[in-house]
Amino acid sequence: MSEWVNLTAEDGHELKAYVARPAGEPIGAIVLVQEIFGVNKHIRSVCDGYAKDGFVVVAPAIFDRFERDVDLDYSPEGWKRAMEFYPKLQPETTLLDVAAAYEFAKKCDKGIGVVGYCYGGLTAWLVAVRGEDYKMQPSCCVGYYAGGIGKFANEEPSCPVMLHFGADDDHIGKDQIDAVRKAHPEVQVFIYEGAGHAFNRDADPKAYRPEAAKLARERTLEFLKENVA
């Protein structure tokens, strides 16, 4: 079962969130953070997938600060519009919106994990290292292809973290991954050969790499169940 709900961030901003629920009693909750294409069909399907695995999943519409109901595809026009939104995103306000989703997820009264993709992957890392400043203490965080993570590599996570990167990702330099590994050898970092950026994005044939996506999801699900459920 899924629905859209209304949330209010701590600064008074009102935003929507997509909520997917399992058929039975939830084993935990996930705050799922979008790519730069909005809470689109692909992201909603990812939410629905984790709901089938037993989680309540809450995906805040972080673009609501700029425009409501943004739902972009991966066409040239979709990319163009996504790139118009990207410079507007600021970690401080994004974390406020994620915190609003986290507060909603607390209703589940179970552990909460944060999972993010692309920009959301970076946000998941920021929740791990800065979440306590926003009243978030997740059980764990998972970041897929977290671009820009090198800038924040020396900040200290407050929970277990797992990170996934494609070996052929031309958006994220190896130096960024190495910076995380050097600063935090305890963080689980996985590199997928033959995969580039957004390898989990099954709605985009140019990016999708099914074998890497399957393995990363299996690892993520096991990690979530270990730490959240």
Side-chain angles (χ1 to χ4, degrees):
M1 183 180 74
S2 62
E3 62 178 331
W4 288 92
V5 301
N6 295 313
L7 307 176
T8 303
E10 194 171 61
D11 64 349
H13 168 65
E14 295 181 358
L15 67 150
K16 286 184 176 181
Y18 181 79
V19 179
R21 303 180 191 276
E25 179 71 17
I27 61 175
I30 297 171
V31 175
L32 194 142
V33 191
Q34 64 179 67
E35 304 172 311
I36 57 168
F37 299 89
V39 183
N40 62 5
K41 184 178 180 180
H42 168 61
I43 291 298
R44 296 195 302 272
S45 73
V46 175
C47 294
D48 294 342
Y50 282 119
K52 290 178 182 177
D53 291 316
F55 296 91
V56 172
V57 189
V58 188
I62 60 175
F63 281 170
D64 275 9
R65 285 189 176 264
F66 321 114
E67 183 181 322
R68 299 281 175 173
D69 303 320
V70 176
D71 184 341
L72 304 178
D73 60 20
Y74 307 106
S75 66
E77 179 59 30
W79 274 91
K80 181 175 180 293
R81 292 205 62 213
M83 291 301 104
E84 291 170 355
F85 284 110
Y86 182 69
K88 300 177 182 180
L89 294 167
Q90 299 295 326
E92 295 77 15
T93 49
T94 297
L95 288 172
L96 286 173
D97 296 344
V98 173
Y102 183 92
E103 190 65 26
F104 185 91
K106 286 167 66 174
K107 296 178 182 179
C108 180
D109 200 27
K110 300 284 178 70
I112 302 172
V114 178
V115 181
Y117 300 82
C118 188
Y119 177 77
L122 175 61
T123 302
W125 175 258
L126 291 175
V127 172
V129 300
R130 300 182 181 181
E132 292 176 331
D133 296 335
Y134 295 82
K135 302 176 183 177
M136 291 184 282
Q137 182 53 68
S139 302
C140 65
C141 292
V142 180
Y144 278 71
Y145 24 89
I149 195 170
K151 299 175 186 176
F152 311 98
N154 290 323
E155 297 187 35
E156 195 66 34
S158 63
C159 65
V161 179
M162 176 179 284
L163 299 171
H164 304 289
F165 297 97
D168 301 332
D169 193 328
D170 57 4
H171 291 64
I172 303 171
K174 184 176 179 292
D175 59 318
Q176 295 192 44
I177 302 170
D178 289 343
V180 175
R181 282 178 157 164
K182 181 178 179 181
H184 304 289
E186 78 283 1
V187 169
Q188 297 187 49
V189 178
F190 295 102
I191 310 295
Y192 298 85
E193 296 298 328
H197 195 71
F199 64 80
N200 186 70
R201 190 191 293 154
D202 58 4
D204 182 0
K206 293 180 180 178
Y208 184 48
R209 296 295 179 268
E211 290 184 4
K214 180 177 182 291
L215 180 55
R217 194 181 188 286
E218 288 171 353
R219 288 169 167 165
T220 297
L221 189 57
E222 182 179 359
F223 187 67
L224 288 167
K225 288 181 176 179
E226 285 176 357
N227 292 285
V228 175

